Amino acid sequence: MSLKSIRINNSLLKGIDLPSLWLRERLSGDQFIDPNNLQRLYEPSLLDENLMIDDYSINDNFLRIKFSDGIKGKINIDDLYQEINSIDVIPKKKIWNKSDTLQLFDDNKIFENSHNLTQMLKTFYEYGYVIIENTQAIENEVLSFAEKIGPVRTTNWGKLFNVVSKPNPNDLAYTALELKSHSDNPYRKPVPGIQLLHCIANESIGGDSSLVDGFSVAEYLKKNNKEFYDILTKTNVNFKFTDIDVILENKSKLIELNDDGEFKQISFSGRLDYVPLLEEDKLKTFYRARKCMYELCNSDQFKIKFRLSQGMIAMFDNLRTLHGRTKFDPNTGFRHLQGCYIDHDSTEGKLRRLLK
Ligand code: OGA
Ligand code: ZN
């Protein structure tokens, strides 16, 4: 036989054409793949583009193939199925609103065994946040916690930031003002993926926390106001942070979609956004759409409200989950949070390793 592609007639792969070159790149075995690092030992770009399949058989869930360049090898059919169907071990997102219960975990249990850590990370990827209780309410504890699930991202502020009310702050977070639902640092490239906020003290009156599933808000807009949804997913807004020694800028849509039209990232920060000078009608629509998104993000329909008390950590996906706090009165007691960021790749990679 001499075939350009094959079709496998089993329940997993029936009806799908598998081209010869594509299969050739997927041969397993030490001759093709380094067993230590699972990387390819040859250059796939140099394979013959007219490569044919001379013979093949299926046995014990393996596809065995002889190619026209004389190479023989085998491929696991389950691996093919998972790759073709983009089956990932990272759990699917669960969209939530205020009526969902708070996802709470106990710091004393999470690192007791890999099952508990896996549960915490799975929940984090499903809901876009978790709340950790019973951590030590001491400085730098947020770094000790974060370093266990992924290296901390250092920014121009260093590894961590202190959220305390202080005079002449370089950010409104460091006042006692209310912070409406927002994403952190949308002006960075890339925007920090995971944020942790650790409460060392919260003795003031006020200073309660809230979280909002930005994807839930986006889904609501998609269903209920297509005009607003369209302009929010198409307009690039400039986010800008001005400090003494840096000016950080990054453009993004308030609702960013991936190539498949799925929600990829929410960027919302009314303190820092600069809307482009669109033509009059479009600008009007954009402003109405942003106001609507602001109202939804701050409404009781979407907001989970809770108090981040001493020893608690809020860990959230800063590309999906918005956060905020009510104003507080620093004269009634001390309030001190410490925060840091982690990139998604390391934490997601940790979970993938735990699940495989
Ligand atoms: C921040 C922030 C929330 C809080 O520092 O970015 O949103 O509860 N703080 O103070
Ligand atoms: Zn913030």
Side-chain angles (χ1 to χ4, degrees), residues 161-163 171 173-175 179-180 182 184-185 195 197 207-209 271 308 316 323-326 328 335 337 341:
F161 51 90
N162 284 287
V163 186
D171 193 297
Y174 312 142
T175 65
L179 298 176
K180 295 285 188 185
H182 65 281
D184 257 33
N185 297 200
Q195 180 171 357
L197 281 175
D208 288 338
S209 302
R271 289 178 272 154
L308 195 68
F316 46 90
H323 63 289
R325 68 149 191 249
T326 60
F328 62 95
R335 186 176 192 274
L337 309 186
Y341 304 114

PDB file of all heavy atoms in Angstrom, residues 161-163 171 173-175 179-180 182 184-185 195 197 207-209 271 308 316 323-326 328 335 337 341, ligand 1:
ATOM      1  N   PHE A 161       4.029  43.777  47.611  1.00  0.00           N
ATOM      2  CA  PHE A 161       3.602  45.157  47.876  1.00  0.00           C
ATOM      3  C   PHE A 161       2.788  45.179  49.168  1.00  0.00           C
ATOM      4  O   PHE A 161       2.127  44.208  49.522  1.00  0.00           O
ATOM      5  CB  PHE A 161       2.817  45.749  46.705  1.00  0.00           C
ATOM      6  CG  PHE A 161       1.686  44.891  46.208  1.00  0.00           C
ATOM      7  CD1 PHE A 161       0.410  45.025  46.736  1.00  0.00           C
ATOM      8  CD2 PHE A 161       1.902  43.944  45.218  1.00  0.00           C
ATOM      9  CE1 PHE A 161      -0.638  44.235  46.288  1.00  0.00           C
ATOM     10  CE2 PHE A 161       0.857  43.140  44.769  1.00  0.00           C
ATOM     11  CZ  PHE A 161      -0.416  43.284  45.296  1.00  0.00           C
ATOM     12  N   ASN A 162       2.899  46.310  49.864  1.00  0.00           N
ATOM     13  CA  ASN A 162       2.177  46.480  51.121  1.00  0.00           C
ATOM     14  C   ASN A 162       0.963  47.355  50.880  1.00  0.00           C
ATOM     15  O   ASN A 162       1.085  48.454  50.337  1.00  0.00           O
ATOM     16  CB  ASN A 162       3.085  47.167  52.147  1.00  0.00           C
ATOM     17  CG  ASN A 162       4.093  46.196  52.707  1.00  0.00           C
ATOM     18  OD1 ASN A 162       3.757  45.324  53.504  1.00  0.00           O
ATOM     19  ND2 ASN A 162       5.339  46.324  52.264  1.00  0.00           N
ATOM     20  N   VAL A 163      -0.210  46.859  51.243  1.00  0.00           N
ATOM     21  CA  VAL A 163      -1.426  47.657  51.104  1.00  0.00           C
ATOM     22  C   VAL A 163      -1.750  48.236  52.486  1.00  0.00           C
ATOM     23  O   VAL A 163      -2.279  47.554  53.356  1.00  0.00           O
ATOM     24  CB  VAL A 163      -2.611  46.805  50.589  1.00  0.00           C
ATOM     25  CG1 VAL A 163      -3.819  47.692  50.304  1.00  0.00           C
ATOM     26  CG2 VAL A 163      -2.216  46.013  49.357  1.00  0.00           C
ATOM     27  N   ASP A 171      -0.368  54.986  44.469  1.00  0.00           N
ATOM     28  CA  ASP A 171      -1.504  54.229  43.945  1.00  0.00           C
ATOM     29  C   ASP A 171      -2.649  54.412  44.932  1.00  0.00           C
ATOM     30  O   ASP A 171      -2.430  54.420  46.153  1.00  0.00           O
ATOM     31  CB  ASP A 171      -1.127  52.743  43.839  1.00  0.00           C
ATOM     32  CG  ASP A 171      -2.128  51.938  43.025  1.00  0.00           C
ATOM     33  OD1 ASP A 171      -3.303  51.847  43.432  1.00  0.00           O
ATOM     34  OD2 ASP A 171      -1.723  51.407  41.979  1.00  0.00           O
ATOM     35  N   ALA A 173      -4.720  52.392  45.862  1.00  0.00           N
ATOM     36  CA  ALA A 173      -4.887  51.224  46.751  1.00  0.00           C
ATOM     37  C   ALA A 173      -4.302  51.529  48.126  1.00  0.00           C
ATOM     38  O   ALA A 173      -4.735  50.963  49.132  1.00  0.00           O
ATOM     39  CB  ALA A 173      -4.190  50.011  46.147  1.00  0.00           C
ATOM     40  N   TYR A 174      -3.316  52.444  48.162  1.00  0.00           N
ATOM     41  CA  TYR A 174      -2.620  52.719  49.429  1.00  0.00           C
ATOM     42  C   TYR A 174      -3.218  53.932  50.157  1.00  0.00           C
ATOM     43  O   TYR A 174      -2.518  54.775  50.707  1.00  0.00           O
ATOM     44  CB  TYR A 174      -1.120  52.890  49.167  1.00  0.00           C
ATOM     45  CG  TYR A 174      -0.567  51.787  48.294  1.00  0.00           C
ATOM     46  CD1 TYR A 174       0.391  52.025  47.321  1.00  0.00           C
ATOM     47  CD2 TYR A 174      -1.055  50.478  48.431  1.00  0.00           C
ATOM     48  CE1 TYR A 174       0.866  51.004  46.511  1.00  0.00           C
ATOM     49  CE2 TYR A 174      -0.596  49.451  47.621  1.00  0.00           C
ATOM     50  CZ  TYR A 174       0.361  49.721  46.667  1.00  0.00           C
ATOM     51  OH  TYR A 174       0.815  48.716  45.860  1.00  0.00           O
ATOM     52  N   THR A 175      -4.550  54.027  50.031  1.00  0.00           N
ATOM     53  CA  THR A 175      -5.324  55.010  50.782  1.00  0.00           C
ATOM     54  C   THR A 175      -6.385  54.221  51.538  1.00  0.00           C
ATOM     55  O   THR A 175      -6.377  52.989  51.522  1.00  0.00           O
ATOM     56  CB  THR A 175      -6.042  55.985  49.810  1.00  0.00           C
ATOM     57  OG1 THR A 175      -6.995  55.229  49.044  1.00  0.00           O
ATOM     58  CG2 THR A 175      -5.067  56.686  48.883  1.00  0.00           C
ATOM     59  N   LEU A 179     -12.271  50.811  46.817  1.00  0.00           N
ATOM     60  CA  LEU A 179     -11.763  50.407  45.497  1.00  0.00           C
ATOM     61  C   LEU A 179     -12.862  49.602  44.828  1.00  0.00           C
ATOM     62  O   LEU A 179     -13.222  48.522  45.310  1.00  0.00           O
ATOM     63  CB  LEU A 179     -10.492  49.562  45.618  1.00  0.00           C
ATOM     64  CG  LEU A 179      -9.270  50.218  46.266  1.00  0.00           C
ATOM     65  CD1 LEU A 179      -8.136  49.200  46.391  1.00  0.00           C
ATOM     66  CD2 LEU A 179      -8.800  51.435  45.481  1.00  0.00           C
ATOM     67  N   LYS A 180     -13.410  50.145  43.741  1.00  0.00           N
ATOM     68  CA  LYS A 180     -14.457  49.426  43.011  1.00  0.00           C
ATOM     69  C   LYS A 180     -13.816  48.199  42.342  1.00  0.00           C
ATOM     70  O   LYS A 180     -12.584  48.101  42.220  1.00  0.00           O
ATOM     71  CB  LYS A 180     -15.053  50.349  41.939  1.00  0.00           C
ATOM     72  CG  LYS A 180     -15.779  51.550  42.513  1.00  0.00           C
ATOM     73  CD  LYS A 180     -17.116  51.147  43.081  1.00  0.00           C
ATOM     74  CE  LYS A 180     -17.919  52.382  43.485  1.00  0.00           C
ATOM     75  NZ  LYS A 180     -19.173  51.997  44.161  1.00  0.00           N
ATOM     76  N   HIS A 182     -11.995  45.822  40.201  1.00  0.00           N
ATOM     77  CA  HIS A 182     -10.955  46.157  39.213  1.00  0.00           C
ATOM     78  C   HIS A 182     -10.018  44.971  38.999  1.00  0.00           C
ATOM     79  O   HIS A 182      -9.987  44.030  39.790  1.00  0.00           O
ATOM     80  CB  HIS A 182     -10.135  47.376  39.685  1.00  0.00           C
ATOM     81  CG  HIS A 182      -9.344  47.114  40.940  1.00  0.00           C
ATOM     82  ND1 HIS A 182      -9.911  47.130  42.202  1.00  0.00           N
ATOM     83  CD2 HIS A 182      -8.031  46.803  41.137  1.00  0.00           C
ATOM     84  CE1 HIS A 182      -8.995  46.857  43.107  1.00  0.00           C
ATOM     85  NE2 HIS A 182      -7.834  46.641  42.488  1.00  0.00           N
ATOM     86  N   ASP A 184      -5.891  44.161  38.604  1.00  0.00           N
ATOM     87  CA  ASP A 184      -4.642  44.822  38.978  1.00  0.00           C
ATOM     88  C   ASP A 184      -3.703  44.922  37.784  1.00  0.00           C
ATOM     89  O   ASP A 184      -3.616  44.002  36.963  1.00  0.00           O
ATOM     90  CB  ASP A 184      -3.940  44.021  40.083  1.00  0.00           C
ATOM     91  CG  ASP A 184      -4.123  44.672  41.439  1.00  0.00           C
ATOM     92  OD1 ASP A 184      -5.191  45.274  41.662  1.00  0.00           O
ATOM     93  OD2 ASP A 184      -3.203  44.578  42.280  1.00  0.00           O
ATOM     94  N   ASN A 185      -3.026  46.052  37.737  1.00  0.00           N
ATOM     95  CA  ASN A 185      -1.895  46.232  36.802  1.00  0.00           C
ATOM     96  C   ASN A 185      -2.191  45.897  35.346  1.00  0.00           C
ATOM     97  O   ASN A 185      -1.375  45.250  34.667  1.00  0.00           O
ATOM     98  CB  ASN A 185      -0.690  45.394  37.248  1.00  0.00           C
ATOM     99  CG  ASN A 185      -0.117  45.791  38.599  1.00  0.00           C
ATOM    100  OD1 ASN A 185       1.030  45.478  38.898  1.00  0.00           O
ATOM    101  ND2 ASN A 185      -0.884  46.474  39.417  1.00  0.00           N
ATOM    102  N   GLN A 195      -2.984  36.799  41.417  1.00  0.00           N
ATOM    103  CA  GLN A 195      -2.703  37.743  42.497  1.00  0.00           C
ATOM    104  C   GLN A 195      -3.015  37.108  43.843  1.00  0.00           C
ATOM    105  O   GLN A 195      -4.001  36.389  43.987  1.00  0.00           O
ATOM    106  CB  GLN A 195      -3.545  39.007  42.323  1.00  0.00           C
ATOM    107  CG  GLN A 195      -3.275  40.016  43.433  1.00  0.00           C
ATOM    108  CD  GLN A 195      -3.933  41.368  43.188  1.00  0.00           C
ATOM    109  OE1 GLN A 195      -4.547  41.561  42.162  1.00  0.00           O
ATOM    110  NE2 GLN A 195      -3.803  42.266  44.121  1.00  0.00           N
ATOM    111  N   LEU A 197      -3.487  38.257  47.934  1.00  0.00           N
ATOM    112  CA  LEU A 197      -3.571  39.323  48.938  1.00  0.00           C
ATOM    113  C   LEU A 197      -3.684  38.647  50.299  1.00  0.00           C
ATOM    114  O   LEU A 197      -4.597  37.853  50.521  1.00  0.00           O
ATOM    115  CB  LEU A 197      -4.802  40.201  48.696  1.00  0.00           C
ATOM    116  CG  LEU A 197      -4.730  41.261  47.601  1.00  0.00           C
ATOM    117  CD1 LEU A 197      -6.088  41.939  47.425  1.00  0.00           C
ATOM    118  CD2 LEU A 197      -3.650  42.308  47.890  1.00  0.00           C
ATOM    119  N   GLY A 207     -13.360  48.284  55.009  1.00  0.00           N
ATOM    120  CA  GLY A 207     -12.280  47.456  54.457  1.00  0.00           C
ATOM    121  C   GLY A 207     -12.707  46.026  54.192  1.00  0.00           C
ATOM    122  O   GLY A 207     -11.924  45.090  54.358  1.00  0.00           O
ATOM    123  N   ASP A 208     -13.973  45.847  53.792  1.00  0.00           N
ATOM    124  CA  ASP A 208     -14.449  44.513  53.406  1.00  0.00           C
ATOM    125  C   ASP A 208     -14.081  44.237  51.951  1.00  0.00           C
ATOM    126  O   ASP A 208     -13.909  45.159  51.162  1.00  0.00           O
ATOM    127  CB  ASP A 208     -15.972  44.409  53.590  1.00  0.00           C
ATOM    128  CG  ASP A 208     -16.353  44.363  55.059  1.00  0.00           C
ATOM    129  OD1 ASP A 208     -15.481  44.003  55.875  1.00  0.00           O
ATOM    130  OD2 ASP A 208     -17.491  44.718  55.391  1.00  0.00           O
ATOM    131  N   SER A 209     -14.003  42.950  51.610  1.00  0.00           N
ATOM    132  CA  SER A 209     -13.534  42.568  50.273  1.00  0.00           C
ATOM    133  C   SER A 209     -14.672  42.089  49.389  1.00  0.00           C
ATOM    134  O   SER A 209     -15.730  41.690  49.879  1.00  0.00           O
ATOM    135  CB  SER A 209     -12.515  41.435  50.389  1.00  0.00           C
ATOM    136  OG  SER A 209     -11.443  41.847  51.193  1.00  0.00           O
ATOM    137  N   ARG A 271      -9.539  53.604  37.186  1.00  0.00           N
ATOM    138  CA  ARG A 271      -8.550  54.579  37.672  1.00  0.00           C
ATOM    139  C   ARG A 271      -7.457  54.823  36.642  1.00  0.00           C
ATOM    140  O   ARG A 271      -6.694  55.760  36.739  1.00  0.00           O
ATOM    141  CB  ARG A 271      -7.876  54.044  38.942  1.00  0.00           C
ATOM    142  CG  ARG A 271      -8.772  54.017  40.141  1.00  0.00           C
ATOM    143  CD  ARG A 271      -8.024  53.419  41.328  1.00  0.00           C
ATOM    144  NE  ARG A 271      -8.138  51.977  41.403  1.00  0.00           N
ATOM    145  CZ  ARG A 271      -7.251  51.187  41.975  1.00  0.00           C
ATOM    146  NH1 ARG A 271      -6.157  51.694  42.482  1.00  0.00           N
ATOM    147  NH2 ARG A 271      -7.441  49.885  42.027  1.00  0.00           N
ATOM    148  N   LEU A 308     -11.887  39.834  54.486  1.00  0.00           N
ATOM    149  CA  LEU A 308     -10.567  39.209  54.523  1.00  0.00           C
ATOM    150  C   LEU A 308      -9.996  39.525  55.905  1.00  0.00           C
ATOM    151  O   LEU A 308      -9.550  40.645  56.166  1.00  0.00           O
ATOM    152  CB  LEU A 308      -9.691  39.784  53.403  1.00  0.00           C
ATOM    153  CG  LEU A 308      -8.427  39.013  53.053  1.00  0.00           C
ATOM    154  CD1 LEU A 308      -8.754  37.667  52.408  1.00  0.00           C
ATOM    155  CD2 LEU A 308      -7.540  39.815  52.093  1.00  0.00           C
ATOM    156  N   PHE A 316      -6.450  34.970  43.435  1.00  0.00           N
ATOM    157  CA  PHE A 316      -7.394  35.013  42.312  1.00  0.00           C
ATOM    158  C   PHE A 316      -6.703  35.196  40.975  1.00  0.00           C
ATOM    159  O   PHE A 316      -5.582  35.699  40.884  1.00  0.00           O
ATOM    160  CB  PHE A 316      -8.467  36.086  42.530  1.00  0.00           C
ATOM    161  CG  PHE A 316      -7.947  37.411  42.994  1.00  0.00           C
ATOM    162  CD1 PHE A 316      -7.587  38.383  42.077  1.00  0.00           C
ATOM    163  CD2 PHE A 316      -7.798  37.684  44.349  1.00  0.00           C
ATOM    164  CE1 PHE A 316      -7.102  39.617  42.494  1.00  0.00           C
ATOM    165  CE2 PHE A 316      -7.311  38.914  44.780  1.00  0.00           C
ATOM    166  CZ  PHE A 316      -6.967  39.877  43.856  1.00  0.00           C
ATOM    167  N   HIS A 323     -11.499  42.306  41.695  1.00  0.00           N
ATOM    168  CA  HIS A 323     -11.557  42.410  43.155  1.00  0.00           C
ATOM    169  C   HIS A 323     -11.762  43.858  43.570  1.00  0.00           C
ATOM    170  O   HIS A 323     -11.507  44.778  42.784  1.00  0.00           O
ATOM    171  CB  HIS A 323     -10.283  41.836  43.793  1.00  0.00           C
ATOM    172  CG  HIS A 323      -9.033  42.579  43.405  1.00  0.00           C
ATOM    173  ND1 HIS A 323      -8.474  42.519  42.154  1.00  0.00           N
ATOM    174  CD2 HIS A 323      -8.239  43.428  44.117  1.00  0.00           C
ATOM    175  CE1 HIS A 323      -7.385  43.269  42.108  1.00  0.00           C
ATOM    176  NE2 HIS A 323      -7.224  43.840  43.278  1.00  0.00           N
ATOM    177  N   GLY A 324     -12.230  44.032  44.796  1.00  0.00           N
ATOM    178  CA  GLY A 324     -12.458  45.383  45.306  1.00  0.00           C
ATOM    179  C   GLY A 324     -12.499  45.373  46.814  1.00  0.00           C
ATOM    180  O   GLY A 324     -12.396  44.320  47.456  1.00  0.00           O
ATOM    181  N   ARG A 325     -12.628  46.566  47.397  1.00  0.00           N
ATOM    182  CA  ARG A 325     -12.786  46.674  48.865  1.00  0.00           C
ATOM    183  C   ARG A 325     -13.636  47.907  49.169  1.00  0.00           C
ATOM    184  O   ARG A 325     -13.663  48.860  48.386  1.00  0.00           O
ATOM    185  CB  ARG A 325     -11.417  46.790  49.559  1.00  0.00           C
ATOM    186  CG  ARG A 325     -10.704  48.073  49.292  1.00  0.00           C
ATOM    187  CD  ARG A 325      -9.800  48.577  50.440  1.00  0.00           C
ATOM    188  NE  ARG A 325      -9.381  49.934  50.161  1.00  0.00           N
ATOM    189  CZ  ARG A 325      -8.137  50.295  49.851  1.00  0.00           C
ATOM    190  NH1 ARG A 325      -7.172  49.409  49.812  1.00  0.00           N
ATOM    191  NH2 ARG A 325      -7.855  51.559  49.611  1.00  0.00           N
ATOM    192  N   THR A 326     -14.306  47.843  50.313  1.00  0.00           N
ATOM    193  CA  THR A 326     -15.055  49.031  50.746  1.00  0.00           C
ATOM    194  C   THR A 326     -14.071  49.988  51.414  1.00  0.00           C
ATOM    195  O   THR A 326     -12.959  49.588  51.787  1.00  0.00           O
ATOM    196  CB  THR A 326     -16.168  48.645  51.743  1.00  0.00           C
ATOM    197  OG1 THR A 326     -15.548  48.021  52.874  1.00  0.00           O
ATOM    198  CG2 THR A 326     -17.163  47.677  51.097  1.00  0.00           C
ATOM    199  N   PHE A 328     -12.408  52.276  54.328  1.00  0.00           N
ATOM    200  CA  PHE A 328     -12.247  51.986  55.754  1.00  0.00           C
ATOM    201  C   PHE A 328     -11.768  53.230  56.489  1.00  0.00           C
ATOM    202  O   PHE A 328     -11.301  54.199  55.872  1.00  0.00           O
ATOM    203  CB  PHE A 328     -11.326  50.784  55.986  1.00  0.00           C
ATOM    204  CG  PHE A 328      -9.914  50.956  55.488  1.00  0.00           C
ATOM    205  CD1 PHE A 328      -8.899  51.389  56.354  1.00  0.00           C
ATOM    206  CD2 PHE A 328      -9.573  50.663  54.176  1.00  0.00           C
ATOM    207  CE1 PHE A 328      -7.594  51.530  55.901  1.00  0.00           C
ATOM    208  CE2 PHE A 328      -8.267  50.807  53.720  1.00  0.00           C
ATOM    209  CZ  PHE A 328      -7.275  51.243  54.580  1.00  0.00           C
ATOM    210  N   ARG A 335      -5.002  48.420  59.421  1.00  0.00           N
ATOM    211  CA  ARG A 335      -5.289  47.499  58.307  1.00  0.00           C
ATOM    212  C   ARG A 335      -4.012  47.356  57.489  1.00  0.00           C
ATOM    213  O   ARG A 335      -3.444  48.360  57.036  1.00  0.00           O
ATOM    214  CB  ARG A 335      -6.418  48.045  57.434  1.00  0.00           C
ATOM    215  CG  ARG A 335      -6.874  47.085  56.344  1.00  0.00           C
ATOM    216  CD  ARG A 335      -8.061  47.675  55.577  1.00  0.00           C
ATOM    217  NE  ARG A 335      -8.720  46.698  54.725  1.00  0.00           N
ATOM    218  CZ  ARG A 335      -8.361  46.401  53.488  1.00  0.00           C
ATOM    219  NH1 ARG A 335      -7.311  46.987  52.943  1.00  0.00           N
ATOM    220  NH2 ARG A 335      -9.035  45.510  52.787  1.00  0.00           N
ATOM    221  N   LEU A 337      -2.391  44.704  54.413  1.00  0.00           N
ATOM    222  CA  LEU A 337      -2.349  43.527  53.552  1.00  0.00           C
ATOM    223  C   LEU A 337      -0.984  43.499  52.859  1.00  0.00           C
ATOM    224  O   LEU A 337      -0.379  44.544  52.638  1.00  0.00           O
ATOM    225  CB  LEU A 337      -3.427  43.570  52.459  1.00  0.00           C
ATOM    226  CG  LEU A 337      -4.895  43.844  52.816  1.00  0.00           C
ATOM    227  CD1 LEU A 337      -5.770  43.675  51.570  1.00  0.00           C
ATOM    228  CD2 LEU A 337      -5.381  42.966  53.928  1.00  0.00           C
ATOM    229  N   TYR A 341       2.368  38.620  43.022  1.00  0.00           N
ATOM    230  CA  TYR A 341       1.833  38.026  41.792  1.00  0.00           C
ATOM    231  C   TYR A 341       2.625  36.771  41.408  1.00  0.00           C
ATOM    232  O   TYR A 341       3.825  36.668  41.690  1.00  0.00           O
ATOM    233  CB  TYR A 341       1.941  39.026  40.625  1.00  0.00           C
ATOM    234  CG  TYR A 341       1.269  40.355  40.890  1.00  0.00           C
ATOM    235  CD1 TYR A 341       2.027  41.527  40.997  1.00  0.00           C
ATOM    236  CD2 TYR A 341      -0.103  40.445  41.033  1.00  0.00           C
ATOM    237  CE1 TYR A 341       1.425  42.748  41.233  1.00  0.00           C
ATOM    238  CE2 TYR A 341      -0.725  41.669  41.273  1.00  0.00           C
ATOM    239  CZ  TYR A 341       0.049  42.817  41.371  1.00  0.00           C
ATOM    240  OH  TYR A 341      -0.555  44.019  41.614  1.00  0.00           O
TER     241      TYR A 341
HETATM  242  C1  OGA B   1      -4.900  46.297  45.711  1.00  0.00           C
HETATM  243  C2  OGA B   1      -6.241  46.068  46.228  1.00  0.00           C
HETATM  244  C3  OGA B   1      -7.611  45.491  48.078  1.00  0.00           C
HETATM  245  C4  OGA B   1      -7.741  45.746  49.543  1.00  0.00           C
HETATM  246  O1  OGA B   1      -3.991  46.571  46.504  1.00  0.00           O
HETATM  247  O2  OGA B   1      -4.714  46.160  44.500  1.00  0.00           O
HETATM  248  O3  OGA B   1      -7.127  45.938  45.436  1.00  0.00           O
HETATM  249  O4  OGA B   1      -8.533  45.045  50.159  1.00  0.00           O
HETATM  250  N1  OGA B   1      -6.423  46.003  47.540  1.00  0.00           N
HETATM  251  O5  OGA B   1      -7.118  46.655  50.066  1.00  0.00           O
END
